Amino acid sequence: MTAGAAAAGPADGASPAAQGAGPGEPDLSRLSLEELAMVEVTSVSRRPEALADAAAAIFVISGEDIRRSGATSLPEALRLAPNLNVQRVNAVDYAISARGFNGYEPSNKLLVLVDGRSLYSTLSSGVFWDARDVMLEDVERIEVISGPGGALYGSNAMNGVINIITRSARDTPGTLVSVGAGNEDATFAVRHGGRLGEAGAWRAYVSGFTRDDSYRLTGGDATDAAAGLRGGARADWTVGENRLTLQGDVFDHEVAVNEGFTGEETRVSGRNVVGRWTRPLAGGELQVQGYYDRFERTESGGVEDSDTWDVSVQQAFGRDRHRLVLGAGYRTVQSRFVAAPGGAFLDPAERTLSLTHVFAQDQIALTEALTLTLGMKFEDNSFTGQEFLPNVRLGWERPGGDLVWGAVSRASRTPNRIERDLTLPGFLVGGDFQSESLTAWEIGWRARPRARMSVSVSAFYNVYDALRTVSIDPVTVFPLTLTNFGAGETWGVEAWGSYDVTDRWRVSAGLSTLNKDLGAEPGMDISALAAAGDDPEYQVLLTSQTQITDRLDLDVRLRAVDALTPSGTDGYVEADVRLGWRFTDALELALSGQNLIGDRRVETGDPARQRAFGRSVFVSLRAGF
Amino acid sequence: MTRTRRTAAGLAAVWGLALLIAATPVAASHGLEYAVKANYLVRFAAFVEWPPRVFSSAQAPVVICVVGRDPFGRTLDTAVRSQTAYGRPLAVRRPAAATELAGCQIVYVGEGGAAAMTAAESQPGLLTVTDEASSDERGAIHFVISRERVRFHIDQTAAMRRGLTISSRLLNLALTVRAR
């Protein structure tokens, strides 16, 4: 049973003195119990990532934020991050990116992980959001890092990393039933958890959804209704000093093909098993993780399936001023794509890809205020061989308690199967597509100017090279090949902050801007650098979270997205509202309205795939015992 | 390829330089987390009711014991000074062995002190406090870091088994309360 958490928003100016970064002991003795619960600490957590990411543009979406947003799927929950651009394509498909390059096809520079398991597709380098979801009630937090992920995250973390972390089974005992229905979709989720011996716990869940058609731009239904079912379990336990986790999921979704309006159905399904073992070792911590992931998509144009096996090891330890993390991993993906005759196909139809990585990161406390992080990642993949990816970060904790940081990193995106193997005889032939590369320069500032206020600002300047282009044969025009003649720069600013107007009312804002100067070598690209994506030049989010009474909370969110360039798709301003009423500690009723301002809006520019969406209302009931 | 090899060499040189600069050891300044935890331990004494037979007299102090590795140092002794709980003073003890819990009312289990959890089973009136940073086994109160704040989970069943009553004000602040 979860006790009602303290009211939203922190209490009054709790001990500004206690938040200083300097030496000497803060005086907390005059704080009340509730005020102690509000003091922010830099966590000396065991997770190496938490330390390294302090000097990065990282936005954390908490499980509580997700609940209060009324989001019914993972992509909708990701709209809460101001550093992500989320474009809904149709009833279930989304294009999500950070720092540009968005669009259903171009979006290939984001690494998405669920508890360490990558959702990245080796077929397209994207994430199939119509197939990937998690039970939102069991999400602990989502860390959205814009910019290269540094040495600790796997490969292809080029423009950003979305790290979805689910709650430990220890934190989800009892039964939870959640049902909801609205004019656009209906969902349900049932979860039950219990203890495993003295120090262990388990849980199992089943969840499902149905979603209505979206709209054609000309009016009328788009015949892209979808439905899906998911289930899974997780167990966490300890044996002596060893902490173990075993989790797995199974899913089966029926969605519609998203090109054209055929209403043709496609089925995506999959399963995964993840195991994790952590223990103290050599004065630090050792973590070993392995997973298996199977993915299948069946549609009339082809059948795709892939089996991924991944094992990785990471050892963190500290000595004097150093916090070192060393790691290595190996992943093998067996990918098959059998195309319907007459269309484009992959040659060879089946391929086994392997990816090895080794990394080292040292976080050095040069002085008490200055931290230098040096990271180096070495990757070897089946397509392009070896890559060296160094990165340097410097963090300066100023006497007032704020943090100034800067970073330079090198990142790359390895070729996917479509880029290497796609063939349509006479028209397109598989070539020698290389990795795209990025040198990212970033700078940022994070502060708490007042006890009730927090601010984070970051700016980036990205230099890209070897971006994807489509080239004609110099002699015969056809066949075309995919090549790497694109390059250029992007730059922009990301900022977010929150302010507690009163103890029960928090206001937050987020802004991201993007400027692009990308192009291809003259005469070498007939795609008009489609790989550069279709992005807004700015995006603004405003949120108000209020605790009207102890049992009633109200969230209002406004988002304004600029028109997309180059497609010219209109920008829009939309509002979401959610009213939650907690009858008792165990029962909550919520009424939410999403996208309430405009009658119809289109979020993405891809002409064959874009659909229109309208207003939606949703009622949900959540009961926990 | 040569350019990245040169970058790698440059990086190694910078690292070597940083190793020289950072040669002198210094204590990491992350004291705030444990200062907050120390102050919590002191507050717990005022929000938990012990059965009266646990104390030898009306003026006997509420004793906070730390077993295993002590992450608090002086901070806990400072926090305890001139604080009272139900009119009783507070005291800190650091037993040599994790199983020597006689006379303790609160025990904080640090790294390596797991033996205290078993010893605590047979001792009524003992509030076990564990920490995510040093153990996975959960006592009556279990410290975690949540959203950059020090929070805790409460196992009310375990507390009641030992005759302790936890005030509702403390229960309300817990992230979760296990009450069944």
Side-chain angles (χ1 to χ4, degrees), chain A residues 1-6 10 18-23 25-34 36-46 51 60 62 64-65 140 167-168 170-171 173 195 198-199 237-238 242-243 280 320-324 362 364-368 372 374-376 386-388 390-392 397 410 437 439 448 506 625, chain B residues 1 3-5 7-9 11-12 14-19 21-37 39-41 43-44 47 72-75 78-79 83 111-112 121 131-138 144-153 155 161 167 169-180:
Chain A
M1 186 185 92
T2 307
Q19 288 167 21
E25 278 162 16
D27 181 17
L28 305 173
S29 57
R30 262 171 312 222
L31 296 187
S32 71
L33 199 58
E34 289 76 10
L36 266 185
M38 291 304 160
V39 175
E40 283 204 10
V41 300
T42 315
S43 155
V44 186
S45 112
R46 288 192 279 198
L51 302 171
V60 179
S62 72
E64 183 71 3
D65 291 335
E140 161 90 31
R167 300 163 77 184
S168 159
R170 293 187 182 90
D171 292 330
R195 298 203 97 180
E198 259 313 307
W237 71 103
T238 47
N242 303 286
R243 285 164 21 235
D320 300 337
R321 300 170 180 241
H322 292 259
R323 284 194 138 86
L324 267 147
D362 189 4
I364 307 162
L366 293 178
T367 69
E368 263 197 38
L372 176 70
L374 298 173
M376 170 63 93
Q386 301 172 352
E387 322 221 356
F388 285 89
N391 71 82
V392 181
E397 269 185 81
R410 221 178 126 64
S437 76
T439 304
R448 291 187 70 86
R506 166 175 289 185
F625 334 100
Chain B
M1 206 45 173
R3 195 183 67 184
T4 39
R5 286 240 171 84
T7 320
L11 209 62
V14 174
W15 189 43
L17 199 63
L19 277 176
I21 296 173
T24 49
V26 76
S29 62
H30 290 287
L32 188 59
E33 177 186 338
Y34 285 95
V36 173
K37 288 177 180 170
N39 276 274
Y40 264 133
L41 287 178
R43 304 284 185 288
F44 291 160
F47 290 100
F72 302 113
R74 232 179 36 228
T75 323
T78 320
Q83 292 268 357
E111 239 171 287
E121 286 294 313
D131 194 335
E132 165 190 65
S134 55
S135 119
D136 263 324
E137 217 181 324
R138 291 190 178 192
V144 295
I145 303 287
S146 167
R147 303 195 76 177
E148 289 169 51
R149 295 179 169 88
V150 180
R151 305 297 299 273
F152 46 88
H153 298 280
D155 187 342
R161 255 201 329 258
S167 128
R169 199 166 146 199
L170 193 56
L171 291 174
N172 276 337
L173 268 188
L175 285 180
T176 66
V177 176
R178 183 166 167 254
R180 192 163 301 144

Side-chain angles (χ1 to χ4, degrees), chain A residues 475-492:
Chain A
V475 176
T476 61
V477 179
F478 287 102
L480 309 171
T481 46
L482 293 175
T483 48
N484 296 87
F485 291 115
E489 294 92 40
T490 62
W491 61 97

Side-chain angles (χ1 to χ4, degrees), chain A residues 278-291:
Chain A
T278 316
R279 64 159 296 130
L281 187 69
E285 184 174 273
L286 172 73
Q287 180 179 284
V288 180
Q289 175 173 285
Y291 72 81

